[in-house]
Amino acid sequence: MKFLLDLIVGDPQADRVVPPTGTTARLTIFVAAVMAFLAVIALALSLSTGRVADRWADELAQAATLRLPAGSTGLEKALQILETTPGVASAHALTADEQQALLTPWFGTDIPLDSLQIPQLIDVIADDPAYDAAGLQARLDGEIPGAVLDDHGAWRDPLLAAAARVRLIGWVVILLIGASIAATITLAAQAALAANVQVIRVLRLVGARDVYIARAFVRRFTLRAGIGAIAGVVLGVIVVQVLPDGAGFFADIGFVGVGWIWPVIIPLLAAGAAFFATRAAAMTRLKEQT
């Protein structure tokens, strides 16, 4: 607590070493704001993609499709098997209109279903616990030749893998943003130290230690990065909140539940990166000026 108080209040005498305004001050605040804004957008996209993928995966995990060969007379038998299978919550044979609605996006509205060899589809919803897919398929093979149970694993597994990659990309972006903040603030701190070399020499002549001088730079640049990051986070949250609320992927972009902790943490992370980057740069530069 004392450390945070010293960081916020500071030492008026030591603060005179660091110029309160100027190019380095504006650059530090601007870069921190931009990077925090990008971090909010990247996190919102990453978290939202993960939520959408998890929801779709859960829906696919509960749903399956039983496909009967075209012209098969085993529809009633298939429904009877499904109704008596433990772990099957419901089974619904798609009507001709429902199957046409599924094919319309691919073939248009004028589909002559009667003249096409289209398999009969049955929607299967799993219960909790779910049915034994392998056992059900074996039973279908014995009683309805050509029946195929599709548990949508071919769709679900790539979806989960893609979501994991998107999450990984999001965290990599966050790390790169943090590295950019640290690099920019390091350059700004070195420029400020170089511009105040005469003041630093005078302070050394009156007995000031390098740790005392560095503390002033660390405090000033840490606060600048924190203030800039807060502004960037606020702007980023506003942009995320004003995205369209209609159906589709954009309706899911944003922070939900504990996810709101990230906009709070981002300024702290930016200030932490500035703290360590400035301290390292200041101590290195002061040693070079000895």
Side-chain angles (χ1 to χ4, degrees), residues 66 74-93 122-125 127 131 136 139-140 143-144 149:
L66 176 59
L75 177 58
E76 295 298 329
K77 183 63 175 179
L79 291 174
Q80 181 183 359
I81 292 174
L82 293 172
E83 290 172 357
T84 58
T85 299
V88 175
S90 64
H92 167 67
I122 302 176
D123 278 339
V124 181
I125 304 300
D127 205 345
Y131 56 87
L136 178 57
R139 184 180 177 187
L140 291 168
E143 301 193 37
I144 308 175
L149 180 66

Side-chain angles (χ1 to χ4, degrees), residues 21 82 86 100 216 242:
T21 60
L82 293 172
Q100 182 167 357
V242 300

Side-chain angles (χ1 to χ4, degrees), residues 35-44 46 167-181 262 266 269:
M35 293 302 175
F37 173 82
L38 295 177
V40 169
I41 301 300
L43 277 173
S46 178
R167 288 192 183 100
L168 178 60
I169 291 173
W171 293 117
V172 170
V173 169
I174 298 302
L175 292 176
L176 292 176
I177 288 173
S180 298
I181 291 176
W262 287 109
I266 288 175
L269 295 177

Side-chain angles (χ1 to χ4, degrees), residues 48-74:
S48 301
T49 302
R51 287 198 306 272
V52 172
D54 290 340
R55 185 174 69 248
W56 289 352
D58 291 341
E59 293 175 356
L60 289 174
Q62 295 296 319
T65 302
L66 176 59
R67 186 171 68 251
L68 304 180
S72 174
T73 58

Side-chain angles (χ1 to χ4, degrees), residues 29 42 49 57 65 86 90-91 128 131 134 155 162 211 221 254 260 277:
I29 295 174
T49 302
T65 302
S90 64
D128 188 16
Y131 56 87
W155 297 91
V211 174
F221 279 91
W260 279 104

